Amino acid sequence: MSARTVYAMLEETASKYPGRHAFHQPVGAGQYHSWTWSEVCDQVQWGAVGLSTLGIEKGAMVALQSETRAEFYLADLAIMAAGAIAAALYTSLPFADQASAIRFFEPRAAFVENAKALRGLRSALGEAAHGIQWILLAPDEAATEDLLTLDKVVERGRQQLAEDPTAFDRIRGQYDASSVAILYMTSGATGEPKMGLVSHRALVTNLDMTPKVLPLTPDDCTVAFLPSAHMAQRMVAQLLPIHTGAAVWFSEGLSKLPHELRRVQPTFFLSPPRVWERMYSSILAEIRKRPVLVQKMFYMALGTGSEVARLRRERKPVPFVLNASLKFFDKLMFSKIRERLGGRLKTPISGSAPLSKDLAEFYAAIGIPLREGYGLTEGGVISVNPADRIKPGSIGTLLPGMEVKIEEDGELMARSTANFDGYYKDPAATATIFRDGWLATGDIAECDADGYYYITGRKKEVIVSSNGKKIYPTRIEGLFKREPVISQVLLIGDKLPFVTALITVNGDPKSGEIAAVVEKTVKAINKELPGFEQIRKFRILEREFSIEAGELTPTMKLRKSRIVENHRALVNELYAGREFD
């Protein structure tokens, strides 16, 4: 069990690779401001001391309101190095929701990205804003407000250390690996969001489990674009690079991400299934615009790639002719697709939500074998597909040091040093999720003979029809991801006589052509399902599900109860006017 803190881990990396680049933050016109690991370590140490001069000590809550950028990482690490607790907010949520979270965990200080965000939060908080020390992350915003900036906090710490070289050592002596480092806000996909407390030890020991399955080096790099409030982003694109010395390039936003991937040429890249789905839809849409001969050649290439990928998974020899065909198709088509991601991607990772098996097989066929993993706020990263034998549709094998078991009802239970300490101000929920030292994940799982795990659904989302049949919607909803026209699917049918669906589409929802594709897809999927799981009726919605309407979490998971509530009249229509609770 590690006794190291997050700062100690950073210190080790800075000692090993002092001159290697760590962070690259875009500053406009294609230019970047860069930090070496030595500079990052100094900035974090000075920031921690600077925070201590503001009264930020062990156990103090500090909010972080910012998109993912280098300054977020520096502030986040400085908070943890000061022994305080870093609590990142989801910036995609309305200011009122962010303010509600702030009122709950009562931070002593709050870092905000810019003056606009500061005004929004202060307005939403009202009188509660006065008890918080506000600090701007963006240095160019300093002139607009008479406020502290991250740069000023760092400079305060540097000056303090110049006067008292032992100041940081005293701060470090006040906390240890058992101290809480992060307050995570859960997504709230199946209920009200909770806040999980995670210690330094849980973070560092989880990272220590990764070298065998994610063997990164200082020669590796990634592009970070996901919200840092999310556990997957915090672990894989922030803390894992610190653990290994890999470099992080920060994105300016989703609209610029395709260009950034080609320019940076990342060797590893984390993205939720939604991004991989959109890329897949874009590729197929382009192919459908090409001449019929090109379309036929592409699908022939896809078939060849799929067969080679299958043989390799099963550790069977690939016939010479098949291998030669793949090399031809790869040079002609697949390599050009991979170039969109920079052409150097060794470790493409899908996380934060289930990835459909069909989508995983597509990417394996074109030479981008997605490494799907599994983790949760409360238990860290638990499993990942090994690089040499990826099984599409699975969440892979356990990380070294992880223990799991599957209960009689199918629920996956986990136990390791990466488990969190509990929910903030919610002992009842904490007691419920822990059972004799085991963490109840809430996910229904299966395990095959090779030790690969599969998530088949969420325990809270199981549909029990009026005749008592159990239906796991996650698996069925995943089948729709093979059709690029379909964006999202929500199954309904709990305590009802049959299953129905609400569907959103990529394109004009009033298009007759799109409606025909959706109907054909529903019929095709129904043929794969037993009668009690088949979708009897469906409706295409006029808009996408949205965060603003409360239908999506900040990590783009469906809030199913809210969707049903927002579309209750339409749902009642699907059941011939039958009202339900």
Side-chain angles (χ1 to χ4, degrees):
M1 184 181 293
S2 178
R4 284 143 59 229
T5 63
V6 170
Y7 178 80
M9 182 178 69
L10 169 62
E11 196 174 38
E12 289 171 7
T13 298
S15 176
K16 290 178 185 176
Y17 318 111
R20 298 295 295 261
H21 278 127
F23 303 156
H24 303 272
Q25 172 64 35
V27 293
Q31 301 299 307
Y32 286 83
H33 178 76
S34 301
W35 290 261
T36 65
W37 284 114
S38 178
E39 289 169 338
V40 168
C41 195
D42 286 343
Q43 291 272 312
V44 169
Q45 183 180 138
W46 297 337
V49 176
L51 286 171
S52 74
T53 68
L54 301 174
I56 307 301
E57 299 174 342
K58 176 185 175 181
M61 292 284 182
V62 180
L64 283 155
Q65 199 278 358
S66 172
E67 299 293 334
T68 295
R69 54 187 295 160
E71 291 85 358
F72 178 102
Y73 280 27
L74 293 170
D76 191 40
L77 294 166
I79 294 165
M80 289 187 261
I85 302 170
L89 301 166
Y90 282 107
T91 56
S92 58
L93 292 176
F95 285 125
D97 290 353
Q98 295 179 50
S100 177
I102 286 175
R103 287 192 187 94
F104 185 71
F105 66 81
E106 301 175 302
R108 291 282 304 278
F111 285 91
V112 291
E113 185 166 21
N114 50 43
K116 179 182 177 181
L118 175 61
R119 289 192 294 271
L121 278 178
R122 276 180 159 175
S123 176
L125 281 165
E127 290 295 318
H130 298 310
I132 298 171
Q133 172 69 68
W134 298 96
I135 307 168
L136 288 169
L137 284 178
D140 58 338
E141 297 274 353
T144 64
E145 296 269 0
D146 183 21
L147 288 166
L148 279 175
T149 64
L150 174 61
D151 285 346
K152 289 179 180 177
V153 171
V154 168
E155 180 57 23
R156 286 176 70 142
R158 191 190 67 78
Q159 292 178 4
Q160 179 71 12
L161 271 172
E163 297 172 8
D164 178 7
T166 64
F168 184 62
D169 291 332
R170 288 200 303 275
I171 292 170
R172 295 181 74 175
Q174 293 173 1
Y175 69 97
D176 57 25
S178 65
S179 301
V180 175
I182 290 176
L183 178 75
Y184 279 124
M185 296 173 203
T186 63
S187 64
T190 58
E192 285 302 311
K194 298 183 182 70
M195 299 184 183
L197 299 166
V198 183
S199 70
H200 288 263
R201 178 177 288 117
L203 296 170
V204 174
T205 56
N206 200 192
L207 292 162
D208 285 344
M209 298 173 184
T210 61
K212 288 185 178 179
V213 291
L214 294 171
L216 304 181
T217 74
D219 294 325
D220 287 300
C221 66
T222 191
V223 177
F225 75 101
L226 294 172
S228 286
H230 192 267
M231 187 276 289
Q233 155 66 26
R234 205 76 153 278
M235 290 296 293
V236 176
Q238 179 180 345
L239 297 177
L240 185 58
I242 293 171
H243 189 269
T244 60
V248 179
W249 296 75
F250 295 91
S251 173
E252 289 189 84
L254 275 176
S255 64
K256 297 188 178 181
L257 185 61
H259 175 68
E260 291 165 338
L261 291 171
R262 288 191 291 271
R263 180 172 58 199
V264 173
Q265 299 180 315
T267 60
F268 73 103
F269 180 64
L270 166 70
S271 178
R274 195 84 180 109
V275 172
W276 299 114
E277 289 163 12
R278 288 185 183 277
M279 194 180 301
Y280 165 76
S281 298
S282 174
I283 292 167
L284 290 197
E286 287 180 29
I287 292 297
R288 287 171 177 172
K289 293 176 183 177
R290 301 293 180 90
V292 174
L293 183 61
V294 174
Q295 292 185 42
K296 287 183 177 179
M297 186 172 291
F298 177 78
Y299 288 111
M300 187 184 300
L302 205 57
T304 301
S306 295
E307 180 63 12
V308 171
R310 183 189 66 81
L311 290 171
R312 287 173 178 169
R313 280 197 304 273
E314 295 174 0
R315 303 189 188 279
K316 295 179 179 178
V318 179
F320 174 80
V321 174
L322 193 62
N323 200 43
S325 298
L326 179 60
K327 286 182 179 179
F328 169 75
F329 287 129
D330 190 79
K331 185 175 182 180
L332 186 67
M333 295 181 173
F334 297 158
S335 62
K336 294 177 175 61
I337 296 174
R338 293 197 299 274
E339 284 172 6
R340 296 183 180 188
L341 297 171
R344 293 200 307 150
L345 193 58
K346 298 183 299 182
T347 310
I349 305 169
S350 181
S352 83
L355 178 75
S356 77
K357 183 179 179 181
D358 290 330
L359 201 66
E361 290 178 339
F362 168 83
Y363 279 103
I366 66 174
I368 308 175
L370 298 181
R371 304 274 302 277
E372 187 173 9
Y374 170 76
L376 64 163
T377 302
E378 297 87 348
V381 180
I382 291 174
S383 66
V384 68
N385 266 275
D388 61 341
R389 196 182 181 192
I390 295 171
K391 284 194 178 185
S394 82
I395 57 170
T397 57
L398 300 179
L399 267 61
M402 281 288 171
E403 292 181 82
V404 302
K405 64 178 181 177
I406 298 175
E407 297 284 69
E408 289 186 8
D409 63 358
E411 184 175 12
L412 184 70
M413 309 289 286
R415 183 168 65 183
S416 80
T417 52
N419 281 356
F420 81 146
D421 287 1
Y423 294 116
Y424 184 57
K425 293 183 181 178
D426 200 342
T430 301
T432 300
I433 199 170
F434 281 116
R435 302 176 201 160
D436 298 324
W438 290 86
L439 178 73
T441 68
D443 288 310
I444 305 299
E446 297 174 351
C447 182
D448 68 15
D450 296 322
Y452 285 72
Y453 287 81
Y454 301 79
I455 300 297
T456 58
R458 286 287 293 169
K459 192 173 179 179
K460 289 184 179 179
E461 293 176 358
V462 174
I463 292 173
V464 182
S465 63
S466 57
N467 62 6
K469 295 284 188 178
K470 288 186 177 180
I471 301 162
Y472 295 95
T474 302
R475 179 180 60 84
I476 301 171
E477 290 163 359
L479 297 175
F480 284 88
K481 293 177 180 178
R482 67 180 69 157
E483 173 48 61
V485 163
I486 295 175
S487 175
Q488 298 275 25
V489 177
L490 173 68
L491 296 191
I492 303 165
D494 196 44
K495 300 176 184 176
L496 291 163
F498 53 86
V499 177
T500 63
L502 299 178
I503 298 173
T504 67
V505 295
N506 297 311
D508 181 3
K510 296 181 181 180
S511 163
E513 183 179 349
I514 285 180
V517 171
V518 173
E519 184 172 0
K520 181 180 177 182
T521 303
V522 171
K523 287 181 178 178
I525 288 174
N526 276 343
K527 290 180 181 178
E528 301 179 37
L529 303 173
F532 70 91
E533 288 186 337
Q534 291 176 2
I535 298 166
R536 303 283 185 87
K537 298 180 182 180
F538 68 89
R539 291 291 185 274
I540 299 173
L541 300 183
E542 294 185 359
R543 63 170 177 81
E544 285 268 21
F545 301 132
S546 71
I547 292 175
E548 293 74 19
E551 297 161 342
L552 295 176
T553 71
T555 55
M556 307 306 289
K557 294 176 184 174
L558 298 183
R559 281 194 170 126
K560 302 194 175 186
S561 59
R562 179 61 67 85
I563 292 171
V564 170
E565 181 182 328
N566 288 356
H567 300 279
R568 186 171 291 278
L570 194 57
V571 173
N572 285 334
E573 180 185 312
L574 285 169
Y575 289 95
R578 175 175 174 174
E579 298 290 338
F580 66 98
D581 295 325

